[in-house]
Structure formats: C-alpha cells, structure tokens
Amino acid sequence: MRARAAAFAWAMSLAVSFLACSSDKRPSPEATGGSPGANGGSGGVACVNAPACGGDLVGTWQVASACLAVSDTLDLSPVGAPGCLAPVSGALSVSGTFTANADGTYSDDTITTGEEHFTLGPACLVISSTPVTCEGVSGIIQTLGYASVSCASAAGNGCSCSATINQRGGIGVVSVAPSTRNNFTRAGNQLTLTNDAGETPYAYCAGATQLTLTPQVTNPKTTGSIVLEHGSPNAGAGGSGGSTDSGGTGGSVGIGGSFGIGGLGASAGTSGASGATAGRGGSGGGAGSAGAGSGGGSASGPCDVYRLAGNPCVAAHSTVRALFGTYDGKLYQVRNAAGTTKDILTLAPGGIADGLSQDAFCMGTTCVITVVYDQSGKGNDLWYQGSTQVPGSTSSLPAKATTESLTVGGHKVYSLYINANNSYWVDASKSGIALGAQPEGMYMVTSGKHFNGGCCFDYGNSETDRKADGSGAMDALNLSSITAWG
C-alpha cells in the first residue's frame, strides 16, 4: 500500500482542537497560463500612482475619485492550480467612506466595483489534479472574490473569461475575504490593513484634507490610487477591531496537517472548546468537556473515548485544551519578534490552555505559532511549513498567535487562525497513522464563519511527498463552500 502523510492547509479559524487527520494536498506545480499581459489597465485606462508621504490618517474619509488599472497576471494557485498565471486586464472603481480610528482599528464602508478579463491556458484547467471545463472553472475562480465569472472555450483548448467585482470592504483590492472592520498598522509611508485574507499594503499620503491610497499588490498588479477627502472629523473613537464573518483565503496549498498516515491535524475553532482526536479505525468522537473552574481538566477527553472503543489516538492537536483526561504537557509553541520561544501548557491535567502566559510573553511584541504538539505520545508534532522541520516556499509563514481569542470555562485561550500561506504538516507514515485503505477516524472542531470556496482547508491524511498524486490519494475533513467535488 502507498504510504500517505497527513497534510493540513488553507485559511480557517482553526485553533480549538483537532485530532485525527488533517490533510491538504498540493496540486502538481505544472499549470501555466500563458504569457503575462501588458502593464496598465484595460480599455485604454491609464492610472498613475500618487506620491506617498505617510502622515496621520485618523478620521473619516469620503472617496472622491479612484483610478485603478488591473494588469499582469492572475494567480490561480489559491484555488488549486499552482503555477497557473493567467494574463489579466481590467479596471476598478471605489465609492464610500473609510475611517481610521486612533486605537488602530478601521471601518471600511467602501464598495469596489469593476471588471476584469483574463485567459486560461489548457494547463490551468486542472484544479487539484482534477480536469475541469471552462464552465466548471468559472465557479471556482469566482471564490477569489468576484461577483461573477463567465468563461467560454477559446482557441488552443483554453478559456476566455470575464469577471465582475462588487465588493464591500477591502478598499480597492479584490479579496476572497474583505474586512469592513479590522486593524491597521503604519510604517513610514506604508499603511497595512489586516483582513481575513491576510494583510494588504498600501502606499499612502495623509494631509489635512486629503488622503491617497495606492494598493501595493501583485498577481494581479494594480496601478493607480484612490483619493479620499476628509469627512466629519473623527478622533478615532468607535470601530471595533476584529475580522468580519466572511471566509478567509486558504493557506498555502502545501501541506497542512501533519501526519504520515493516520490522521493528525489541527483544528481550531472560534467557538467550542472541544478537542479533536484522531485514531485508527472507528469514526467520530466525542467532544469532551473543556473543564471548568480554574482550568481544571475533565475526567476524560476525546482521545479517551477513542481509546475505550479500541481505536487509540495516533495524533491529537489543540491550542485550546488537553484531549486526554490526564494530559498536562505542552499544547503549542509561540515565537516572538526577537526569535525567543515559549511553550504554552495546560492549566491542569486534562485542562485548558494557559492563554494568559501567552499574553505575558507576547506583550509589547508580535508572536506566531511555530508548532502544535502531538498529545498522543507518537511524536506527530505539527510544525509550520517553512520551518526547518518542514521546509517550504519563501511565501510560507507561521500563523499569527493572537488573531483570535475566545473564553473557555472562564479562561482566555487562542485559536490557530489559518490565513493565506499558513499550513502545518508532519510525515507520520511511521508513527501509527493509517496507510493506504486502512480504516481511520478523524475529528475536528473549527469555526463555521472563517472559510472560503478555495482548495483546500483540510485536516487529514495525505501523500507523504506533499503532492497531489491523483484522485482518492488522501482522506481528510474539509470545511469550505467549494462545490467542485460534490
């Protein structure tokens, strides 16, 4: 039987707990979409980038005008076609208001509209190793943030596509997960807006009465700026930080999860504190109690339920709680901007994560989650792709440790909040995970609000080579709105 390794990927508010498998496969990097298009906009649109000067942008601003030309290539790797860069052209317009608050949060009440046109080569009509038609690929590409996409057959066995944009939030940049309320940071002449799809940078210049924003994005490239004028002065009060309930963009379709065979993965959620556990054979699994009081544990956890049924967990991951009634070890590790690391433990055997110890460690700095430890004792720890343990592309990054917090049993804990280019993986093919057609059970707790229609947010068991070797090559739990596979 062919060995399979669990991989877990894509954007989801994933943190609470998981056990069993996490899988996410990376399609073969073979598709390319032809040569890039010319710079500039479509239909003769010529837009110019406004000078950047930085400044204080706190206040409410009304969009006065916008000239944004879309060009270069559209990257289709987020929908399962890595290497597919489709020549694109188009133009965008923006209306509405944008408010920057003194507390570092923003309210984006803008509407971005427009059209884009792009062509797909035949190699781009393979999504996650599955051939699709021009009509079929339309719905998949639409999940990148478009209001509509229409693709028709073109010469050379490719497709000619037209897309419309009608997006609330995410000012001037088409996004799979635009935010209308979130956080912002400034550094020199650059403004960075945080959203569920990650972070979007803008060159900006704020004066007494005028603000210009120039998107600094590629694939596709956007040329031009948005001009806003001061609305009613706003000292920065109001506006709540946090992400909207739209789905995020998926992680790097690399490999998520971690396991060689059998299931292990990580699942996090915005709500429940229940854990996840995965085992060989068996199905399902009880959520278990998160414990009460001062972080005390429960008599049994999800993995105890699996064990009593004769299907012990071979991988168990959670940033929120212990998945065994007696587990009192490390749950996950955080790393600060100085490169120092700290392991986050349970408050008590079988109990909740010590979220306050993370707060103390990360105070005044930024933190990422480098590894989610395996509680099963099998050593199937989930390291982020891009680490020394799991090498990855230069775009692979660990998830931010403080994006989402929740309260369990009166205690603050953090989710593993997966955004674009975040994934965790381990080859557990020699550590007890199911191989080939062996039976396995998987269990995942995750958010029902942080998802998208891309491929793939999975927790499960996939190929050890971290490639999509064909249909039916992985077993995984997937949470998304994609319908391409039924």
Side-chain angles (χ1 to χ4, degrees):
M1 291 179 288
R2 180 176 58 210
R4 293 192 278 176
F8 132 61
W10 270 65
M12 244 66 306
S13 161
L14 132 102
V16 179
S17 30
F18 7 73
L19 53 301
C21 316
S22 151
S23 79
D24 158 46
K25 56 187 178 182
R26 167 191 309 226
S28 304
E30 52 184 286
T32 55
S35 59
N39 291 334
S42 65
V45 175
C47 299
V48 178
N49 293 340
C53 67
D56 182 7
L57 75 161
V58 171
T60 296
W61 305 85
Q62 178 76 40
V63 175
S65 64
C67 182
L68 299 172
V70 179
S71 63
D72 205 5
T73 56
L74 174 65
D75 182 8
L76 295 187
S77 60
V79 294
C84 178
L85 298 175
V88 62
S89 63
L92 302 176
S93 181
V94 182
S95 61
T97 61
F98 178 88
T99 300
N101 301 305
D103 63 357
T105 63
Y106 71 84
S107 300
D108 185 348
D109 296 310
T110 63
I111 301 293
T112 299
T113 58
E115 293 185 358
E116 293 182 13
H117 304 276
F118 45 91
T119 57
L120 306 178
C124 293
L125 298 179
V126 178
I127 305 296
S128 291
S129 301
T130 303
V132 295
T133 63
C134 291
E135 180 180 2
V137 80
S138 299
I140 296 174
I141 296 176
Q142 186 174 340
T143 64
L144 291 176
Y146 297 107
S148 67
V149 176
S150 177
C151 296
S153 298
N157 297 318
C159 305
S160 177
C161 304
S162 296
T164 62
I165 299 95
N166 189 356
Q167 171 183 290
R168 183 170 180 262
I171 182 169
V173 176
V174 179
S175 172
V176 298
S179 288
T180 57
R181 304 269 189 293
N182 217 306
N183 304 315
F184 73 87
T185 57
R186 293 178 293 170
N189 298 337
Q190 180 169 299
L191 169 70
T192 301
L193 301 183
T194 300
N195 53 62
D196 273 355
E199 296 182 335
T200 303
Y202 300 78
Y204 83 103
C205 182
T209 60
Q210 189 177 86
L211 168 68
T212 59
L213 299 178
T214 304
Q216 305 291 291
V217 295
T218 57
N219 297 123
K221 176 182 178 181
T222 300
T223 304
S225 300
I226 307 161
V227 178
L228 304 95
E229 297 178 346
H230 235 312
S232 56
N234 185 331
S240 60
S243 53
T244 65
D245 60 0
S246 65
T249 68
S252 73
V253 183
I255 22 250
S258 102
F259 337 5
I261 8 200
L264 85 139
S267 129
T270 55
S271 48
S274 63
T277 163
R280 295 187 48 172
S283 64
S289 161
S294 59
S298 59
S300 65
C303 281
D304 297 307
V305 175
Y306 268 96
R307 177 182 56 80
L308 291 174
N311 304 303
C313 291
V314 292
H317 308 93
S318 176
T319 61
V320 167
R321 57 164 292 183
L323 301 176
F324 293 83
T326 59
Y327 186 79
D328 61 355
K330 302 179 293 185
L331 295 178
Y332 62 101
Q333 181 187 89
V334 292
R335 185 181 69 203
N336 64 20
T340 305
T341 60
K342 179 178 179 58
D343 290 331
I344 306 301
L345 312 178
T346 62
L347 289 169
I352 302 305
D354 185 3
L356 294 183
S357 68
Q358 174 179 313
D359 285 345
F361 178 75
C362 298
M363 184 177 297
T365 183
T366 57
C367 281
V368 296
I369 294 178
T370 54
V371 57
V372 183
Y373 293 110
D374 177 18
Q375 301 177 32
S376 74
K378 296 288 186 178
N380 292 321
D381 301 331
L382 288 177
W383 285 89
Y384 76 93
Q385 180 169 275
S387 63
T388 301
Q389 293 78 3
V390 184
S393 67
T394 55
S395 63
S396 298
L397 300 169
K400 290 185 177 181
T402 56
T403 300
E404 179 182 69
S405 65
L406 51 152
T407 301
V408 178
H411 299 280
K412 184 179 183 180
V413 294
Y414 286 93
S415 73
L416 178 61
Y417 198 90
I418 299 298
N419 274 320
N421 298 322
N422 301 150
S423 62
Y424 293 74
W425 189 86
V426 67
D427 181 351
S429 58
K430 297 179 177 63
S431 304
I433 301 272
L435 295 172
Q438 292 177 346
E440 57 193 323
M442 302 178 191
Y443 175 85
M444 175 175 74
V445 177
T446 190
S447 170
K449 294 183 177 181
H450 187 53
F451 66 92
N452 67 11
C455 172
C456 312
F457 173 69
D458 304 276
Y459 178 81
N461 187 355
S462 70
E463 302 92 320
T464 53
D465 59 7
R466 291 194 277 168
K467 295 181 180 179
D469 295 331
S471 300
M474 75 172 183
D475 298 323
L477 300 173
N478 177 68
L479 177 64
S480 71
S481 59
I482 194 167
T483 59
W485 296 279

